[in-house]
Amino acid sequence: MLRFTGIGIALLAAAWPMASVSNIKSSGEGTGPSIREVINAAHGVPAALCGMAASAISNGWGGWSDAPVTPLGPSGRWSSRVTRRNETSPEDGRFLLDSLAASDNCVRELAVRLLGRNQSDEIVTGLLHRLSAADSSLRAVAAFGLGLLEPKSAVDGLVRSIRDGSTGTRANSAWALGRIGDGRAVGPAKGALTDASPLVREAAANALGRLDSASAVPALLKVLRQDDTPSVRRVAAWAVAELDAKEGIPDLITVMKSDKDPTVREMCAWALGNLDGSSADQALLSAARSDAEVQVRETAVWALGQHGEQSSAEGLAQIVSSDKEPRVRATAAWALGQIGAEKAPKGLTDALGDTDDAVREKAAWALGQIGDESAV
């Protein structure tokens, strides 16, 4: 029987099929690696390899369920859900809770993720107890665990912790409240938009985008216009779209035109594409023609395709003919196929001779969608 050994859980995670890592057993059950074997093997494993194992435990390869701050450090991956749940014996549950206080970061990382797959009242109570621990890193990891579990019973404790003296605890608490999705979190999350830490403000904007409260929109738009950290402005733009806040379209247009950070401009274009309203199309077309960054032009073109307005056809055809980047030309061709034009613009027909095969492919598809026989 295969077992984790001293070469480290993460190295084995890289070699084993995913199911062997994700099907960890409580003590005495089945033939998979036991929880205690996994945790004992985690000591001293390098962060990069530990992250591979953490991914497999939480959600499978390529799926992450990370708080803003984990024992392995700031994550930047905040969106995935834990999809695998299984029961843990009371003894293993207590062992994992105790492991959260270990000095080894990989041990703590894997312990909290394993706890996040189990929703017993004892585990939730244990995490809530640690949410008020003297050790700020333990408070932060407890908030991480509660966010993975998403128990409604944790809302009051997390609301208190969103004002904690530890940046990691405040950020993780905001993130967890967004995942739980309880309306009691809206006010505290709005308050956290003015936190001194950009990490907390970003987590608060992320949470508000998930809490489905129209009352958060004015505060998010203020952040979009005024916050001095690009990542916070970017998440605010995302949240406005998630809340389907059409009243935010003018601000999104303004920021898309003027923000110095291309990732913010790109997110504004994405948000405009997800908000119904042709009032943004001229601004999107302008960005698609002239923005200096490829990703902004491509997203603006995509947004025009999402809106599907025939008035954009001529401008999109010019982009198919003239943009220097093949990915922008290809997306513009796709967008032309989306808008339901009755006649194919010349630029789209000409794109059948483009030097890039992706552009030719999208042009052929778009011509098929339009059904203009003159293109045959």
Side-chain angles (χ1 to χ4, degrees), residues 11-210:
L11 192 56
L12 282 170
W16 278 19
M18 183 183 71
S20 298
V21 181
S22 61
N23 197 31
I24 295 167
K25 303 293 185 182
S26 284
S27 300
E29 296 181 3
T31 59
S34 74
I35 282 173
R36 290 173 186 261
E37 286 178 310
V38 169
I39 295 301
N40 289 335
H43 287 273
V45 172
L49 294 178
C50 186
M52 295 169 63
S55 175
I57 286 171
S58 285
N59 223 24
W61 300 116
W64 292 73
S65 298
D66 286 5
V69 178
T70 79
L72 292 179
S75 67
R77 300 180 176 93
W78 300 4
S79 59
S80 299
R81 295 279 180 183
V82 174
T83 56
R84 294 187 177 88
R85 300 287 190 189
N86 63 299
E87 293 298 322
T88 297
S89 70
E91 295 78 12
D92 280 341
R94 289 189 287 271
F95 171 72
L96 289 172
L97 285 168
D98 290 341
S99 297
L100 296 181
S103 59
D104 187 284
N105 284 336
C106 187
V107 169
R108 299 170 68 226
E109 184 85 24
L110 300 191
V112 71
R113 291 177 185 276
L114 287 167
L115 286 167
R117 293 167 26 133
N118 303 272
Q119 290 184 302
S120 72
D121 291 341
E122 184 178 5
I123 288 174
V124 172
T125 300
L127 289 170
L128 283 169
H129 175 71
R130 286 158 178 79
L131 201 57
S132 57
D135 181 355
S136 62
S137 66
L138 184 53
R139 298 197 301 273
V141 81
F144 179 13
L146 290 167
L148 294 176
L149 290 170
E150 305 174 27
K152 295 284 187 180
S153 59
V155 170
D156 290 339
L158 290 165
V159 165
R160 289 191 294 271
S161 292
I162 207 171
R163 298 184 294 272
D164 193 273
S166 156
T167 297
T169 304
R170 297 197 307 277
N172 284 2
S173 296
W175 167 82
L177 287 167
R179 286 173 62 91
I180 294 170
D182 190 286
R184 289 173 288 172
V186 172
K190 285 166 62 177
L193 289 176
T194 61
D195 194 277
S197 167
L199 189 66
V200 178
R201 299 197 302 274
E202 184 177 346
N206 179 279
L208 289 167
R210 300 176 187 279

Side-chain angles (χ1 to χ4, degrees), residues 338-360:
Q338 291 287 103
I339 64 177
E342 296 179 358
K343 183 174 177 58
K346 182 177 184 301
L348 182 60
T349 308
D350 291 346
L352 291 172
D354 196 277
T355 56
D356 186 86
D357 55 358
V359 177
R360 298 195 303 274

Side-chain angles (χ1 to χ4, degrees), residues 78 202-203 205-207 220 230-240 267:
W78 300 4
E202 184 177 346
N206 179 279
L220 286 166
S231 63
V232 181
R233 300 196 299 275
R234 182 174 66 246
V235 175
W238 167 85
V240 169
M267 184 59 78

